[in-house]
Amino acid sequence: MSKAFAYRAYGGPENQEFLERPVPSPGPGQLLVLVRAAGVNPVDWKIRNGWLGTAGPLPGVLGVEASGVVQQTGPGVDGFAPGEEVFGTAVAGGYAEHTLLDAAGTAHKPLGVTFAEAAALPVAAATAYDAVEQLGLEAGRTLLVLGIAGGVGSAAAQIARARGLTVVGTASDRNREYVESLGAVQIRYGEGVADRVRAAAPDGVDGIIDLIGGEDLREAAPVLADRTRLVSTVDAGTAAALGGGAVHRAPAGAALTALAGLVTDGALDPRITASYPLDRAPEALAEVETGHARGKLVLVME
């Protein structure tokens, strides 16, 4: 049997519980992994709440990204073998001692990358990577990130900086030092944000990655002349109305390999701000659910 943290019904935290489940068996295109670390993300509680539709039979194990050691490969899996250290998209819940990874969304973990760092990459960093790729800005251009202090924003700033972009981003004043540590310029969000962006980037901005949506996005959009260089992870409708669109997610395996290379090279720090043992999963998820978590939170299996 294998310990896991799950939700027994869709709704709030009152539906969460620890349980023991049989070690899952890998199906076609899947890897059975002994979990060493798992990322904690806003999407986890949104799935629990039922906001993203039903995710399969209940109870459902929380978590969509994990790193660990391959125990078994499913039919049709090439390129992975038992004993290898990997990280990727969890299809059987990451908050667990064992899980299944989607082989197409999995990469080998380099020796220079910790299990915690690897587990922090498949969701936030991979989303950031796809957003930066989609904009395709050349070195020397300026990128505005709305909501830069979170997991996706932190990764986007570093990936963009590694490509020679100047980065400015909206965040609260309490996060100024943190944003500056990413190599970016912090801009206080709220009313008048467009004027503050223009003051910080007098030559204008060449692209926007939106991680907030709504009125914040509408307030900031006028600083961008070419609205096709606007992508959003949270509010595709508003982005489209403004002339942009949603972030298009690419197959994850290649992106994860590239991200691991950036971590190895020192160009990308996953910015893990807190690590918790599996027994403290409720606390970790609650911190993310407040919407004020900085950087990335991970569960580390002991």
Side-chain angles (χ1 to χ4, degrees):
M1 300 294 285
S2 180
K3 184 178 181 179
F5 186 56
Y7 53 97
R8 63 181 179 272
Y10 292 107
E14 69 276 5
N15 294 305
Q16 299 170 174
E17 63 183 5
F18 285 99
L19 52 77
E20 295 285 333
R21 66 174 178 178
V23 175
S25 298
Q30 295 179 340
L31 307 171
L32 170 63
V33 170
L34 176 66
V35 178
R36 296 293 302 276
V40 182
N41 297 283
V43 71
D44 301 340
W45 63 264
K46 293 176 183 178
I47 290 173
R48 181 207 64 206
N49 281 9
W51 293 1
L52 304 181
T54 57
L58 298 175
V61 176
L62 289 150
V64 294
E65 60 183 352
S67 65
V69 181
V70 177
Q71 305 295 291
Q72 184 181 350
T73 61
V77 172
D78 294 318
F80 298 97
E84 293 182 335
E85 298 178 347
V86 297
F87 65 107
T89 304
V91 295
Y95 299 12
E97 294 175 334
H98 297 83
T99 194
L100 301 176
L101 299 186
D102 173 19
T106 297
H108 291 93
K109 183 187 77 65
L111 290 176
V113 178
T114 69
F115 281 108
E117 289 172 334
L121 297 176
V123 174
T127 300
Y129 182 89
D130 289 343
V132 174
E133 279 277 297
Q134 188 173 336
L135 289 179
L137 299 179
E138 300 173 348
R141 301 292 187 177
T142 298
L143 172 67
L144 169 62
V145 181
L146 303 180
I148 197 172
V152 178
S154 298
Q158 295 176 80
I159 294 167
R161 291 286 295 150
R163 298 185 180 202
L165 301 181
T166 297
V167 181
V168 298
T170 62
S172 64
D173 287 339
R174 72 181 180 87
N175 284 319
R176 177 180 296 276
E177 288 187 11
Y178 176 77
V179 173
E180 290 174 350
S181 76
L182 300 171
V185 175
Q186 180 260 354
I187 298 167
R188 178 170 47 84
Y189 53 63
E191 186 177 353
V193 67
D195 291 336
R196 291 189 290 276
V197 171
R198 293 187 182 99
D203 293 332
V205 301
D206 304 293
I208 294 178
I209 295 176
D210 166 54
L211 309 173
I212 301 177
E215 190 59 32
D216 289 271
L217 174 55
R218 284 187 285 269
E219 286 267 354
V223 304
L224 182 65
D226 181 0
R227 298 290 181 84
T228 65
R229 295 293 180 92
L230 161 63
V231 294
S232 178
T233 65
V234 294
D235 194 347
T238 297
L242 293 168
V247 173
H248 302 306
R249 300 305 312 277
L256 294 185
T257 298
L259 288 167
L262 290 173
V263 175
T264 301
D265 294 341
L268 173 62
D269 179 348
R271 295 290 173 145
I272 297 170
T273 53
S275 299
Y276 299 82
L278 179 59
D279 287 344
R280 293 177 61 192
E283 182 181 342
L285 186 57
E287 183 173 347
V288 170
E289 194 165 357
T290 66
H292 300 300
R294 177 190 294 174
K296 283 287 296 187
L297 276 62
V298 296
L299 304 177
V300 178
M301 312 309 164
E302 300 177 334

